[in-house]
Amino acid sequence: MFDNSNPSNRKPLIYYIVIAAVIILLMNAFLFPTLLARQVTEVGYSDFLTWVDSGRVSQVSLDQQSDQIIFLATNEDGQEQIYKTAVFPDDGLRARLEAGGVKFSAQIPTQNNPLLSFLISWLLPIALFSLIGRVLMGQMNKRMGGMNVMNFGKSNAQIVADKETGVTFADVAGEEEAKDALKEIVDFLEHPDKYAGIGAKLPKGALLVGPPGTGKTLLAKAVAGEAKVPFFSISGSEFVEMFVGMGAAKVRDLFKQANEKAPCIVFIDEIDTIGKKRDSGAGIGGNDEREQTLNQLLTEMDGFDGKKGVVILAATNRPESLDPALLRPGRFDRRIPVELPDLAGREAILNVHAKAVKLGSQINMTEIARATSGASGAELANIVNEAALRAVRMGRSEVLQEDLMESVETVIAGYQRKNAVLSEMEKKIVSYHEIGHALVAAMQSHSAPVTKITIIPRTSGALGYTMQVDEGDHYLMSREELLSKLTTLTGGQAAEQLIFGSITTGASNDIEKATKLARGMITRYGMSEFGMVALETVNGQYLGQDTSLACSPAYAEKIDDQVVALVGQARQKADQILRENEAKLHELAKYLLAKETITGEEFMQILGQ
Ligand code: ADP
Ligand code: MG
Ligand code: ZN
């Protein structure tokens, strides 16, 4: 929350206080006395006597402290003025004053209006201090991200209450199961009486669970949009505050507002940020704030009246990390999976987003959907937008199929690197490497067909890229398919070795993927001599490539041996395939080197000759 980018702006408080104190002291010492005191002129004692005699003096007093005579007399211009003179031992002074008719007991004020002097010497500094204080506070607030320091107890949650989210279920493509589950909630929000009449209680909360970018936020908004109720949205990370207790205050405030606006939707995004399991051994005191916030959330959920029509939706991509207390009945007891879209889903999502752009007549969305297996809704939306941007760059007024195809690669494999300079030799090596993959894939019966091979570098760092696309969507992969995939991955380096007699660093990504795949086959899929034993467990259901060992160190060693053996076998098979097809390898690599990009059809044509 603190802006650390400009440290010179961050002088300590004491700095300002010292400056203010110095200013006020200086004012008191120099400015105020001269401002406040009337001018007093000093004259000689003899002059004083002469003026008394001539009747110019009207009033005289003795200032005991300074031992001076202060007197009032008319000056040359005929105006009264204050004068002073040193006291001189003079026994006849009293008689002389009486003779001149001078009042001599009265005190002559050397100061102006007492009210004014009070104002200046007391109120002005106070006003000054509070002004400085205000400025300081303002600066502090700015640094604390707009938090009001004086309002510790009150929430400043950025609660977004959109009267109309404007999103409907029609904007969410695919995800039919999730939509069906949410339609009941929409109905409840529209006709609460129907449910109250029969005595049915709808779940207070539903948890949308799925990988990032699958449309969880979009679905929550659509529920509010369909039911035409306000939508309160807050992200779990916004609850985590600098001060202990602030997060809990935000929760309280959120539910107070929601209760006032019922019926409505409260959407808590990234709920895992606050909803993590409590007491997960993270150390003492470290999680106080988060736990307080979570406890407050649980309390509020239990406390509010479900019949009023406040429905809480939450989203997470790590359901396994949530505190079980959140999932108990009466809380988020409904879990709605929001999965990555399948082939039909992807096409539908592409079409939803394509409505916003101007398409040419020769568009085949099925082809795009085919090429984007595993992409999320957010990535598909991005592909359509990238295609539109590319069309503009090319000076066209509509999006063509090639724009879409190109942006599939930009989004999925990184942007084309226009000015990467590869030497001829490097290009040659990359060509053979990529054709190696493609050829090994084509020569095995269980691998997906090659659709595109390119040696145009990507910003992702890849110098070449062989795209393989499955005919349909796969949820299950057989051992044979995995093995041929593994062999295909080793094909790149196998080709380098065969043709150039040495290998390059170009295969690092292949190696990583192959290792992971082989490991998974052994430790998780039961496809090795160990049989159906889970030797590793996956940590994150959705985010998780993350695995941890679940076996003894002795087994860990054996697993490593098996991984090495499995990848080694695959590599041998690739070597063999390439040796048997060396002529084709040369022919195809030369063709690719010349054209830089070839399609699957071109590839199959040359191969089939
Ligand atoms: P999540 O909350 O699951 O991470 P979002 O709802 O924020 O994902 O999705 C981000 C964007 O991706 C949406 O605004 C939308 O443009 C697009 N999107 C994601 N899923 C879909 C879908 N099923 N249908 C249409 N658009 C989608
Ligand atoms: Mg989201
Ligand atoms: Zn490779």
Side-chain angles (χ1 to χ4, degrees):
M1 284 238 179
F2 283 95
D3 175 17
N4 285 324
S5 60
N6 195 354
S8 65
N9 253 346
R10 303 187 43 212
K11 298 199 171 91
L13 190 67
I14 189 83
Y15 173 89
Y16 293 99
I17 291 175
V18 167
I19 291 220
V22 167
I23 288 172
I24 285 173
L25 277 176
L26 286 175
M27 284 174 99
N28 263 316
F30 297 106
L31 196 56
F32 294 162
T34 44
L35 250 180
L36 290 170
R38 281 201 230 164
Q39 203 160 358
V40 180
T41 317
E42 188 155 12
V43 295
Y45 192 68
S46 55
D47 285 337
F48 166 61
L49 290 181
T50 324
W51 292 5
V52 169
D53 291 346
S54 62
R56 278 174 70 179
V57 177
S58 58
Q59 212 177 327
V60 171
S61 79
L62 187 68
D63 185 0
Q64 306 264 338
Q65 269 177 342
S66 64
D67 219 4
Q68 276 181 325
I69 292 170
I70 313 278
F71 64 99
L72 214 57
T74 48
N75 59 16
E76 280 83 13
D77 306 331
Q79 276 176 330
E80 282 217 319
Q81 203 186 327
I82 302 171
Y83 294 92
K84 64 180 182 186
T85 181
V87 173
F88 194 81
D90 181 358
D91 291 335
L93 179 61
R94 184 176 169 153
R96 232 168 153 154
L97 291 173
E98 275 170 349
V102 179
K103 283 190 267 174
F104 56 86
S105 57
Q107 259 208 336
I108 298 168
T110 55
Q111 301 245 305
N112 269 322
N113 193 337
L115 184 67
L116 184 70
S117 68
F118 169 76
L119 284 179
I120 290 183
S121 56
W122 287 100
L123 290 187
L124 190 69
I126 290 173
L128 224 105
F129 264 122
S130 53
L131 190 79
I132 290 171
R134 222 164 245 252
V135 170
L136 277 180
M137 205 67 96
Q139 287 202 346
M140 231 145 96
N141 281 351
K142 239 184 268 160
R143 279 196 236 130
M144 292 179 171
M147 238 188 312
N148 192 343
V149 187
M150 302 305 281
N151 262 350
F152 284 112
K154 208 170 175 323
S155 136
N156 55 330
Q158 270 118 37
I159 298 161
V160 192
D162 299 336
K163 189 78 196 149
E164 291 283 320
T165 58
V167 180
T168 64
F169 280 147
D171 297 311
V172 191
E175 309 301 348
E176 295 307 325
E177 285 153 52
K179 277 198 259 180
D180 279 344
L182 289 167
K183 268 176 191 151
E184 196 182 0
I185 292 178
V186 173
D187 192 50
F188 169 66
L189 288 166
E190 279 178 333
H191 316 283
D193 314 337
K194 193 167 88 184
Y195 290 83
I198 209 165
K201 259 193 240 150
L202 233 80
K204 287 178 184 173
L207 190 63
L208 299 164
V209 178
T214 45
K216 298 182 293 298
T217 308
L218 196 65
L219 274 165
K221 280 188 187 162
V223 172
E226 289 280 335
K228 300 196 178 57
V229 296
F231 180 70
F232 290 91
S233 159
I234 191 162
S235 167
S237 55
E238 284 170 58
F239 282 122
V240 183
E241 284 289 349
M242 180 171 29
F243 300 113
V244 172
M246 291 272 296
K250 275 190 177 179
V251 173
R252 260 196 305 278
D253 203 53
L254 177 65
F255 278 87
K256 195 166 149 266
Q257 288 193 46
N259 260 320
E260 284 161 10
K261 293 264 164 60
C264 65
I265 299 273
V266 173
F267 178 59
I268 305 172
D269 213 346
E270 303 167 40
I271 194 169
D272 41 286
T273 329
I274 49 166
K276 264 185 245 147
K277 287 190 183 77
R278 287 170 290 185
D279 274 337
S280 49
I284 304 158
N287 286 324
D288 267 5
E289 162 67 352
R290 220 201 61 229
E291 279 190 19
Q292 271 195 28
T293 309
L294 177 56
N295 286 336
Q296 187 66 39
L297 180 65
L298 296 176
T299 313
E300 293 288 345
M301 285 193 78
D302 292 342
F304 79 80
D305 182 5
K307 286 189 207 115
K308 259 188 109 173
V310 180
V311 173
I312 305 160
L313 298 177
T316 181
N317 43 36
R318 326 180 41 119
E320 73 287 340
S321 75
L322 287 180
D323 195 298
L326 269 173
L327 308 172
R328 276 216 292 270
R331 291 168 185 166
F332 294 108
D333 45 6
R334 219 170 255 204
R335 185 192 276 237
I336 300 172
V338 187
E339 301 290 355
L340 286 172
D342 56 12
L343 185 65
R346 287 200 302 274
E347 193 173 341
I349 294 172
L350 284 166
N351 282 324
V352 161
H353 290 279
K355 270 188 214 139
V357 301
K358 221 167 163 188
L359 292 181
S361 50
Q362 301 285 311
I363 295 292
N364 180 357
M365 278 300 181
T366 318
E367 190 191 351
I368 309 297
R370 274 244 162 78
T372 47
S373 172
S376 69
E379 281 163 335
L380 294 169
N382 196 13
I383 284 169
V384 173
N385 190 51
E386 283 292 333
L389 289 175
R390 185 174 187 269
V392 173
R393 267 203 304 278
M394 298 290 174
R396 273 189 260 103
S397 61
E398 52 182 27
V399 175
L400 303 182
Q401 185 77 0
E402 62 171 272
D403 296 324
L404 286 163
M405 266 329 252
E406 190 69 20
S407 59
V408 167
E409 286 165 53
T410 28
V411 170
I412 288 177
Y415 290 90
Q416 270 195 18
R417 213 161 36 158
K418 281 269 158 20
N419 40 13
V421 190
L422 281 191
S423 72
E424 268 315 300
M425 188 59 197
E426 282 170 325
K427 263 188 177 169
K428 201 170 162 189
I429 294 171
V430 175
S431 297
Y432 275 96
H433 178 110
E434 295 305 329
I435 295 295
H437 285 307
L439 204 52
V440 170
M443 291 300 163
Q444 294 176 101
S445 46
H446 290 282
S447 49
V450 172
T451 50
K452 181 169 175 167
I453 312 165
T454 173
I455 53 165
I456 296 170
R458 320 270 126 181
T459 41
S460 65
L463 298 177
Y465 177 54
T466 301
M467 193 151 98
Q468 269 176 287
V469 173
D470 291 318
E471 291 296 345
D473 253 18
H474 263 66
Y475 292 108
L476 291 175
M477 285 187 90
S478 65
R479 182 164 186 273
E480 288 69 33
E481 283 168 324
L482 289 178
L483 279 176
S484 71
K485 201 172 168 185
L486 194 59
T487 310
T488 302
L489 281 169
T490 62
Q493 200 179 61
E496 289 181 40
Q497 179 69 47
L498 179 68
I499 304 301
F500 303 99
S502 93
I503 52 173
T504 66
T505 53
S508 64
N509 189 251
D510 300 334
I511 292 169
E512 207 182 306
K513 281 190 195 153
T515 311
K516 240 182 217 164
L517 185 61
R519 234 193 140 74
M521 288 174 73
I522 294 160
T523 63
R524 288 188 284 134
Y525 309 136
M527 293 176 180
S528 71
E529 64 181 40
F530 298 126
M532 287 180 63
V533 178
L535 301 167
E536 256 177 11
T537 49
V538 185
N539 295 333
Q541 192 184 339
Y542 290 111
L543 296 178
Q545 303 302 328
D546 209 21
T547 53
S548 42
L549 274 180
C551 61
S552 67
Y555 260 92
E557 217 168 278
K558 283 193 210 160
I559 293 169
D560 290 339
D561 290 344
Q562 292 254 333
V563 170
V564 172
L566 195 56
V567 176
Q569 282 162 22
R571 171 63 193 273
Q572 273 175 10
K573 186 158 180 219
D575 284 341
Q576 194 199 334
I577 292 173
L578 291 177
R579 266 199 306 274
E580 286 166 4
N581 297 280
E582 204 178 327
K584 283 288 169 203
L585 177 61
H586 281 296
E587 192 185 348
L588 283 160
K590 285 197 178 111
Y591 187 73
L592 176 62
L593 188 59
K595 285 203 67 181
E596 293 203 336
T597 300
I598 59 176
T599 64
E601 287 99 69
E602 284 175 289
F603 174 77
M604 291 312 290
Q605 224 172 7
I606 297 172
L607 195 61
Q609 278 167 6

